[in-house]
Amino acid sequence: MEMTDFELTSNSQSNLAIPTNFKSTLPPRKRAKTKEEKEQRRIERILRNRRAAHQSREKKRLHLQYLERKCSLLENLLNSVNLEKLADHKDVLTYSHDAFVASLDEYRDFQSTRGASLDTRASSHSSSDTFTPSPLNCTMEPATLSPKSMRDSASDQETSWELQMFKTENVPESTTLPAVDNNNLFDAVASPLADPLCDDIAGNSLPFDNSIDLDNWRNPAVITMTRKLQ
Amino acid sequence: MEMTDFELTSNSQSNLAIPTNFKSTLPPRKRAKTKEEKEQRRIERILRNRRAAHQSREKKRLHLQYLERKCSLLENLLNSVNLEKLADHKDVLTYSHDAFVASLDEYRDFQSTRGASLDTRASSHSSSDTFTPSPLNCTMEPATLSPKSMRDSASDQETSWELQMFKTENVPESTTLPAVDNNNLFDAVASPLADPLCDDIAGNSLPFDNSIDLDNWRNPAVITMTRKLQ
DNA sequence: TGGTCTGACGTCACCGAT
DNA sequence: ATCGGTGACGTCAGACCA
């Protein structure tokens, strides 16, 4: 194949260490004349493109994350109002009653017809490693997720918390929380939700008056549930 | 390079026509002995994997499409009610007024902090089934884009779960969730998590105050649960 | 023309399940 | 040990922009 193998020795492998700093030694706006110049241009372009691809993937990933969070928040909001009653309060409807009902029907229809469920593997990943709590968060205002606020804001009777589990590098075993078994946890989560986007689960089989939303796509899974306790 | 070029002639190119039908001529459960057998196994695996990758991509694409549509419908629905007025109609709120306002604030906060401007570039590439996911113009630091964690790849083969809690309030002791019951999804999920977590919070062993730098690189693989109680 | 960006592909590494 | 699924990567093709 020969592949020019000039200096692009990385035909198929990770080639970690993205060439974030490489300079073109060629004049930027000049027609390449020599075969060699052409080659160098080509190679530089490939390097740049490699980097661009990386950025593009990252952006896409963030976009996905954004969409998932947005859906989650929107559903939360939606679940905190009684839609049936709402339909009769004309004064809170922006448009007509019919417009509202139409939107609502469209959404419900979408939710019911749309399979959109993927396998329920929920790959529990790493059977024996540790829960290491740590504040990630890009998306939240510091004030919003301030650890203080969850400790001493007893003023509000509304309790809402979110847990996020995410993969990170391994940490020493000593800090493990022994009681929790990841596998069991995930199995417990995944198995009842074996079938599709579990909007109907909230409806009948489980004592939820709110929604559970299992996102089977993400590895391992994103589960959003809302429940009204007494 | 020579690359065995047995029958895998497609080193780098599209090679449309996914081999949907190929049969293994090798016994399925037998140790490969011959070099040739091993080679054939390898090649068949590569073909199968090529196909699997295709499916996986398709699935991901559909999921993205699903999320976009869902968000869109939810937003439609939301836009058809006057949220300000709604907050005062306690009879249509599922929970408390505060709960509703909290959800609303959370959503608005999210919307404002996230750029959330999709450029809605009408793709000319419409092949009638391809959906272009409107690249989000996410506001992020330049550092986020830089391929930082590519460097510390020495340890990235071992991952563990991290658990994070954000936007949370005090959970009443009386509502501490009982032991895991497979029929109760929420309990099954929450109790293994809630107990150690709460214990650790009480024991202040969770460094919620420090902000660990966000690993933007790895997929967060998120479990998110939201629980509301009145 | 030159550039970037992104969809799609094929490959590999890794994981869990079998 | 083998297999399927998937995250990540690098490459190419093609769009769009300078």
Side-chain angles (χ1 to χ4, degrees), chain B residues 41-218:
Chain B
R41 278 260 155 80
R42 192 182 72 89
I43 288 181
E44 281 169 3
R45 166 72 183 130
I46 284 188
L47 290 180
R48 262 179 283 124
N49 187 247
R50 191 182 301 174
R51 188 169 159 68
H54 188 84
Q55 288 177 188
S56 194
R57 258 177 262 133
E58 181 76 3
K59 207 175 353 182
K60 195 170 191 172
R61 223 195 77 239
L62 288 178
H63 177 63
L64 197 62
Q65 181 174 321
Y66 164 79
L67 277 182
E68 305 250 11
R69 178 120 182 91
K70 184 171 174 182
C71 268
S72 163
L73 292 179
L74 281 169
E75 268 186 334
N76 276 355
L77 198 49
L78 212 63
N79 286 331
S80 67
V81 316
N82 186 324
L83 296 169
E84 312 306 332
K85 289 184 189 165
L86 180 54
D88 298 329
H89 286 256
K90 300 198 69 117
D91 53 321
V92 277
L93 300 185
T94 311
Y95 316 115
S96 66
H97 168 90
D98 291 340
F100 172 74
V101 173
S103 285
L104 184 54
D105 283 348
E106 199 178 8
Y107 173 64
R108 284 182 170 159
D109 186 52
F110 171 74
Q111 282 288 72
S112 62
T113 56
R114 293 301 239 186
S117 71
L118 312 181
D119 69 1
T120 68
R121 168 168 68 93
S123 85
S124 60
H125 185 257
S126 69
S127 70
S128 80
D129 63 335
T130 59
F131 183 89
T132 43
S134 58
L136 146 88
N137 204 352
C138 230
T139 66
M140 46 190 171
E141 299 82 9
T144 310
L145 276 182
S146 72
K148 56 165 185 163
S149 51
M150 294 193 105
R151 289 317 304 149
D152 45 21
S153 60
S155 57
D156 72 349
Q157 79 282 6
E158 199 46 47
T159 57
S160 67
W161 287 103
E162 291 205 353
L163 180 64
Q164 184 215 358
M165 170 185 279
F166 58 93
K167 172 113 179 75
T168 169
E169 321 261 340
N170 211 4
V171 179
E173 314 303 308
S174 56
T175 64
T176 304
L177 298 160
V180 176
D181 175 6
N182 279 343
N183 293 331
N184 189 324
L185 173 62
F186 184 84
D187 289 347
V189 174
S191 92
L193 287 179
D195 285 340
L197 189 61
C198 289
D199 290 345
D200 275 289
I201 287 178
N204 74 49
S205 67
L206 295 191
F208 278 113
D209 295 329
N210 333 2
S211 83
I212 298 181
D213 65 334
L214 159 64
D215 184 0
N216 284 317
W217 176 247
R218 289 294 169 202

Side-chain angles (χ1 to χ4, degrees), chain A residues 54 163 197 221 223 225 227, chain B residues 66 217 222-224 226 228:
Chain A
H54 183 158
L163 293 178
L197 195 30
I223 295 142
M225 58 184 104
R227 180 202 199 185
Chain B
Y66 164 79
W217 176 247
V222 179
I223 247 197
T224 305
T226 305
K228 294 193 182 308

Side-chain angles (χ1 to χ4, degrees), chain A residues 17-153:
Chain A
I18 280 194
T20 167
N21 42 6
F22 59 92
K23 301 284 179 294
S24 174
T25 64
L26 267 56
R29 284 294 180 193
K30 202 157 102 7
R31 185 81 153 80
K33 293 195 162 55
T34 330
K35 265 281 195 292
E36 264 219 9
E37 272 185 6
K38 265 187 139 74
E39 248 321 270
Q40 181 162 355
R41 278 260 155 80
R42 193 182 70 89
I43 288 180
E44 279 169 4
R45 199 170 105 52
I46 285 189
L47 290 179
R48 261 180 280 121
N49 188 250
R50 189 182 302 175
R51 187 167 163 69
H54 183 158
Q55 287 177 201
S56 193
R57 273 187 298 257
E58 178 78 2
K59 192 149 64 166
K60 195 171 189 172
R61 221 203 75 233
L62 288 178
H63 178 58
L64 196 64
Q65 185 173 313
Y66 164 80
L67 278 181
E68 279 164 356
R69 178 118 184 93
K70 182 173 175 180
C71 270
S72 164
L73 292 179
L74 280 170
E75 269 187 334
N76 275 357
L77 197 50
L78 209 65
N79 286 331
S80 67
V81 315
N82 186 323
L83 296 169
E84 314 305 332
K85 289 183 189 164
L86 180 54
D88 299 328
H89 286 254
K90 301 190 88 87
D91 53 323
V92 285
L93 299 184
T94 311
Y95 313 116
S96 66
H97 168 91
D98 292 342
F100 172 75
V101 174
S103 286
L104 185 54
D105 284 347
E106 197 179 9
Y107 173 64
R108 284 182 171 159
D109 188 50
F110 169 75
Q111 281 288 71
S112 62
T113 59
R114 206 49 179 195
S117 91
L118 311 154
D119 61 15
T120 17
R121 293 182 318 97
S123 80
S124 73
H125 258 291
S126 78
S127 49
S128 70
D129 49 15
T130 74
F131 285 91
T132 352
S134 99
L136 157 109
N137 233 346
C138 40
T139 77
M140 310 286 292
E141 197 85 27
T144 317
L145 58 97
S146 158
K148 302 305 179 192
S149 72
M150 69 175 149
R151 295 296 306 264
D152 46 20
S153 83

